[in-house]
Amino acid sequence: MQKSQTIKTAWYIFSDIVTSVAAWTILTHKRKIWLNEAPLTYNGLFNNYSFFYSSLFLVLVFWIVLFAVSGAYNQALYKRSQLKEITASIIQCLIGSILLLFILFFNDREADPAYLYDVFFMLTVLQSLFVIVGRLILISIAHNDIKKNPALFNTVIIGNNAKAVATYKEIKRNHLTAGYNFLGFITDENFPKNGVSKNLPCLGVIEDTEKIIQQKNINQVVVALETSERVVVETLISRLSEYDVEIKLVPDSLAIVTGSVKVSNVPGAVLIDVNTALMPAWQNNIKRLFDVSASLIGLIVLSPLLAYVALRTKLSSKGYIIYNQQRIGYKTKPFYIHKFRSMYADAEKNGPALSSENDPRITKWGKVMRKWRLDEMPQLWNILKGEMSFVGPRPERKFYIEAINQSTPYFRYLLKVKPGLTSWGMVQFGYASSIPEMIERMKYDLVYVENISLLLDLKIMLYTLRTIFLGKGK
């Protein structure tokens, strides 16, 4: 399911690129006619006007960045409402057109009010119309996928009371637009043979929720507990926020009348979508945009250095150039982190072992790389793929996470954000060579998670650059 969503989102971006190209091409041709400047034909525009392609590229970058920051690519297409998408697209295109009007068109030779009005109106209409049409086509395809396969999202309902029964029946009535695939329910006690248990099997108790999510590959969790169980609900949401699942809460009447309930699909069940993100959406979008652009530029600009470090690593000792190791990332998802190998081959033949400052397993060239953090450069690829960010708690192996969990329950809070190339713990503490040191470093990363912001990210990156330039890594 997740892979399908990723493909759809990529098509969404492609659609915006194609429609933006069409809108800008028509507008540029019309501008040339209004200004009576050559070329006056599309053929001349494509073949005899070199500035057209550079302007097209810059405008494309502008639109994609604007759409990304405004959250156009955050939500899976299956979840989108066509009406809301039309409204959002018009607002995005209107804001973008106003910005382009001041940035580009005020410098035109005949920038009188009538001309500026015509340019602005045409840009807004073309961009909005083309983008909306492209997006609605893809949303329609996604909605048709749900109609053909209504059981797209593995769902579990928590509760076995009247509220759970009513919610289950309401969702089933609208199953063609919801895409829920109920696998069962989770109860907080020894359940009676009534309620939702008449329709669904019991998968276990609330204490086993995390295990059930992993075993059943759950995509959505509907929490339908009583208002009197508020403490249980709050604890449950905190636990669920560490996993890559959508959390939906069945509201009470007070939540409805106070405006807490926002529905994205009018015929659907009345549910609260619980947002567990620690940063506002616009900050998350800017952070991801920076990660993608900076990692891509870094891989290109630093390619000579990457090639040199790779050659030196190969010549330093026997073994692979790139060391791949499985780590636990955002929302407990495992991934493979990439590093230039700084140790001799088979350094962990006797089992997992943390490195220390004078570790004999580290090669001579490995010590140089660690001092200047050169061994971490391949992680730019992890960042580009979205597995990591530039700033975030350092990812650990499952072996060490389990060891830490035996001493403290708080490491799981670090999994609420993407792991990073650098972190507040790395800046203030550095590398850890033992479980107690990892727990000590974790405290700094917990402070980061509780105070996460773009400004704090910037501060951490500046401190990291200072460490690199002074050669204080180890």
Side-chain angles (χ1 to χ4, degrees), residues 176-234:
L176 291 180
T177 57
Y180 292 76
N181 177 31
F182 281 103
L183 300 183
F185 74 96
I186 298 174
T187 183
D188 58 343
E189 57 186 12
N190 294 323
F191 65 93
K193 297 296 182 179
N194 54 25
V196 78
S197 60
K198 293 181 179 180
N199 305 100
L200 296 172
C202 180
L203 301 179
V205 295
I206 288 180
E207 287 73 17
D208 298 327
T209 300
E210 291 89 343
K211 187 186 300 182
I212 294 169
I213 288 173
Q214 293 175 320
Q215 290 177 347
K216 300 293 185 179
N217 192 26
I218 299 298
N219 304 116
Q220 295 181 141
V221 176
V222 178
V223 181
L225 297 176
E226 297 293 349
T227 306
S228 59
E229 299 176 284
R230 181 174 179 177
V231 175
V232 176
V233 172
E234 291 176 352

Side-chain angles (χ1 to χ4, degrees), residues 278-279 445-457:
L278 299 178
M279 281 203 305
D445 288 330
L446 286 172
V447 172
Y448 167 77
V449 170
E450 291 301 315
N451 296 275
I452 187 171
S453 68
L454 292 178
L455 187 61
L456 183 56
D457 278 10

Side-chain angles (χ1 to χ4, degrees), residues 12 72 75 80-90 92 132 135-136 139:
Y12 212 63
Q75 192 179 30
R80 294 176 188 260
S81 160
Q82 291 183 331
L83 183 59
K84 286 184 66 176
E85 200 64 23
I86 291 173
T87 304
S89 299
I90 291 174
Q92 293 160 8
I132 288 171
R135 290 179 175 182
L136 290 185
I139 292 174

Side-chain angles (χ1 to χ4, degrees), residues 150-169:
L152 279 175
F153 306 103
N154 289 340
T155 306
V156 64
I157 190 166
I158 299 181
N160 186 39
N161 47 36
K163 183 184 289 187
V165 174
T167 303
Y168 171 75
K169 290 182 177 179

Side-chain angles (χ1 to χ4, degrees), residues 63-213:
W63 281 117
I64 298 304
V65 168
L66 177 65
F67 292 150
V69 171
S70 63
Y73 309 127
N74 288 358
Q75 192 179 30
L77 268 66
Y78 299 96
K79 300 290 185 179
R80 294 176 188 260
S81 160
Q82 291 183 331
L83 183 59
K84 286 184 66 176
E85 200 64 23
I86 291 173
T87 304
S89 299
I90 291 174
I91 294 173
Q92 293 160 8
C93 293
L94 179 61
I95 293 174
S97 298
I98 293 173
L99 293 174
L100 287 177
L101 179 69
F102 285 97
I103 294 172
L104 298 178
F105 304 131
F106 267 87
N107 295 322
D108 283 352
R109 178 167 48 85
E110 296 184 11
D112 59 86
Y115 166 77
L116 292 175
Y117 173 80
D118 290 339
V119 169
F120 173 72
F121 179 78
M122 187 171 189
L123 174 60
T124 304
V125 171
L126 286 176
Q127 186 70 26
S128 300
L129 180 62
F130 288 0
V131 166
I132 288 171
V133 169
R135 290 179 175 182
L136 290 185
I137 290 173
L138 291 176
I139 292 174
S140 297
I141 294 173
H143 287 180
N144 285 333
D145 284 347
I146 293 181
K147 292 179 180 179
K148 293 177 183 177
N149 180 20
L152 279 175
F153 306 103
N154 289 340
T155 306
V156 64
I157 190 166
I158 299 181
N160 186 39
N161 47 36
K163 183 184 289 187
V165 174
T167 303
Y168 171 75
K169 290 182 177 179
E170 189 173 0
I171 291 174
K172 294 301 287 185
R173 282 198 300 270
N174 298 282
H175 71 285
L176 291 180
T177 57
Y180 292 76
N181 177 31
F182 281 103
L183 300 183
F185 74 96
I186 298 174
T187 183
D188 58 343
E189 57 186 12
N190 294 323
F191 65 93
K193 297 296 182 179
N194 54 25
V196 78
S197 60
K198 293 181 179 180
N199 305 100
L200 296 172
C202 180
L203 301 179
V205 295
I206 288 180
E207 287 73 17
D208 298 327
T209 300
E210 291 89 343
K211 187 186 300 182
I212 294 169
I213 288 173

